[in-house]
């Protein structure tokens, strides 16, 4: 059981380049999230998905796009990378809250460290 | 606005002493509160969560959290700190079932 797997672990880009970060989970979770972590700012939600084929904006969505074509995968795209997008990106997933357990925690991957030069 | 705050950037404690990492929140309705721990170059790991009705919640690795509704706080505690507890700790609040807001994090340093 791998949990939440993020690829790649590290990447260096030049300004203007594009790339896609991949998140895969094997826990059959309905919800998936993308966060960025910057020093002193905690985690900020970029985009999230409540199910296959659906996505929604979080706190800081500008400059990013996402897709969830399969339940187990959540992709984060940077169309034209900017130095301000230098950060550590975390993917997380969780079960759908239900009547029996409405307080489901999130499970996190180990992050992708992205530098934009 | 709904939010969560961790007023201390860093907490220093000697091994064997009790530790407290503070968290206050501002939410409408029932709070869904969590504590996570992050070790270097790793993702966040779930420690514990608030369950309605239990003011003292027990979690992993001997940690517990005290919920105080009147003070809107959810402080993380441990009776006896270990050097291996040194890490970054995040308080989080869940809103509308599908969004989580995280505090800015508190670095815990446990010295031998």
């Amino acid at each position: 059981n791998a949990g939440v797997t993020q690829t790649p672990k590290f990447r260096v880009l030049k300004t203007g380049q594009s790339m896609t970060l991949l998140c895969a989970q094997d826990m059959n979770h309905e919800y998936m999230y993308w966060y960025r972590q910057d020093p002193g700012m905690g985690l900020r939600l970029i985009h999230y998905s409540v199910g296959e084929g659906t996505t929604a904006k979080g706190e800081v969505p500008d400059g990013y796009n996402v897709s969830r074509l399969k339940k187990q995968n959540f992709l984060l795209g940077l169309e034209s990378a900017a130095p301000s997008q230098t950060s550590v990106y975390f993917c997380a997933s969780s079960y759908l809250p239900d009547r029996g357990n409405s307080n489901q925690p999130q499970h996190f991957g180990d992050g992708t460290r992205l530098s934009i030069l | 606005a709904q939010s969560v705050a961790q007023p201390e950037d860093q907490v220093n404690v000697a091994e064997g002493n009790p530790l407290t990492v503070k968290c206050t929140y501002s939410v409408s309705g029932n709070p869904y509160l969590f504590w996570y721990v992050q070790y270097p170059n790793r993702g966040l790991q779930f420690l514990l969560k608030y369950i309605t009705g239990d003011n003292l919640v027990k979690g992993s690795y001997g940690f517990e959290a005290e919920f105080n509704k009147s003070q809107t706080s959810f402080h993380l505690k441990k009776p006896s700190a270990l050097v291996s507890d040194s890490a970054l700790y995040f308080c989080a609040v869940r809103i509308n079932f599908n969004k989580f807001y995280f505090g800015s994090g508190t670095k815990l340093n446990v010295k031998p």
Side-chain angles (χ1 to χ4, degrees), chain A residues 31 33 35 37 40 42-43 48 50 59 90 97 101-106 108-110 113, chain B residues 32 34 36 38 41-44 46 49-50 88 90 94 97-104:
Chain A
Y31 288 359
Y33 309 80
Y35 293 91
Q37 183 179 26
L43 276 73
Y48 65 98
V50 300
E59 297 176 75
F90 286 99
N101 189 351
S102 60
N103 209 10
Q104 302 281 6
Q106 294 179 310
F108 285 82
D110 283 339
R113 286 147 185 82
Chain B
Y32 293 94
F34 301 81
Y36 291 84
Q38 185 181 32
N41 300 315
R42 300 298 303 274
L44 278 67
F46 170 69
K49 65 182 180 182
Y50 171 64
L88 190 56
F90 288 96
R94 198 194 83 211
F97 291 106
N98 52 25
K99 288 185 180 180
F100 289 77
Y101 288 95
F102 287 81
S104 55

Side-chain angles (χ1 to χ4, degrees), chain A residues 51-72:
Chain A
E52 182 178 328
T54 68
T55 63
K57 294 180 179 180
E59 297 176 75
V60 289
D62 294 342
Y64 305 96
N65 56 75
V66 288
S67 64
R68 186 136 180 234
L69 300 179
K70 295 183 178 180
K71 185 177 183 178
Q72 63 268 33

Side-chain angles (χ1 to χ4, degrees), chain B residues 79-99:
Chain B
S80 179
L82 300 172
V83 172
S84 57
D85 292 330
S86 297
L88 190 56
Y89 290 81
F90 288 96
C91 183
V93 59
R94 198 194 83 211
I95 298 164
N96 296 334
F97 291 106
N98 52 25
K99 288 185 180 180

Side-chain angles (χ1 to χ4, degrees), chain A residues 23-88:
Chain A
C23 176
Q25 53 95 2
D26 60 3
M27 296 171 283
N28 204 33
H29 286 167
E30 290 82 7
Y31 288 359
M32 297 188 74
Y33 309 80
W34 276 107
Y35 293 91
R36 58 178 291 172
Q37 183 179 26
D38 302 293
M41 301 187 72
L43 276 73
R44 291 182 293 169
L45 181 64
I46 304 171
H47 286 280
Y48 65 98
S49 168
V50 300
E52 182 178 328
T54 68
T55 63
K57 294 180 179 180
E59 297 176 75
V60 289
D62 294 342
Y64 305 96
N65 56 75
V66 288
S67 64
R68 186 136 180 234
L69 300 179
K70 295 183 178 180
K71 185 177 183 178
Q72 63 268 33
N73 296 336
F74 195 30
L75 306 179
L76 177 70
L78 285 73
E79 292 183 346
S80 180
S84 60
Q85 294 177 304
T86 293
S87 187
V88 182

Side-chain angles (χ1 to χ4, degrees), chain B residues 10-77:
Chain B
Q10 186 166 301
V11 169
N12 298 311
V13 64
E15 188 174 32
N17 284 359
L19 69 89
T20 298
V21 182
K22 296 179 180 178
C23 172
T24 59
Y25 64 90
S26 173
V27 298
S28 55
N30 292 326
Y32 293 94
L33 299 160
F34 301 81
W35 275 102
Y36 291 84
V37 60
Q38 185 181 32
Y39 298 100
N41 300 315
R42 300 298 303 274
L44 278 67
Q45 298 177 32
F46 170 69
L47 271 182
L48 52 80
K49 65 182 180 182
Y50 171 64
I51 301 173
T52 303
D54 293 338
N55 289 341
L56 187 63
V57 180
K58 294 190 181 296
S60 305
Y61 312 119
F63 283 93
E64 55 192 25
E66 185 175 10
F67 173 73
N68 188 316
K69 186 174 182 178
S70 63
Q71 297 184 4
T72 62
S73 66
F74 189 55
H75 299 333
L76 182 70
K77 298 174 182 286

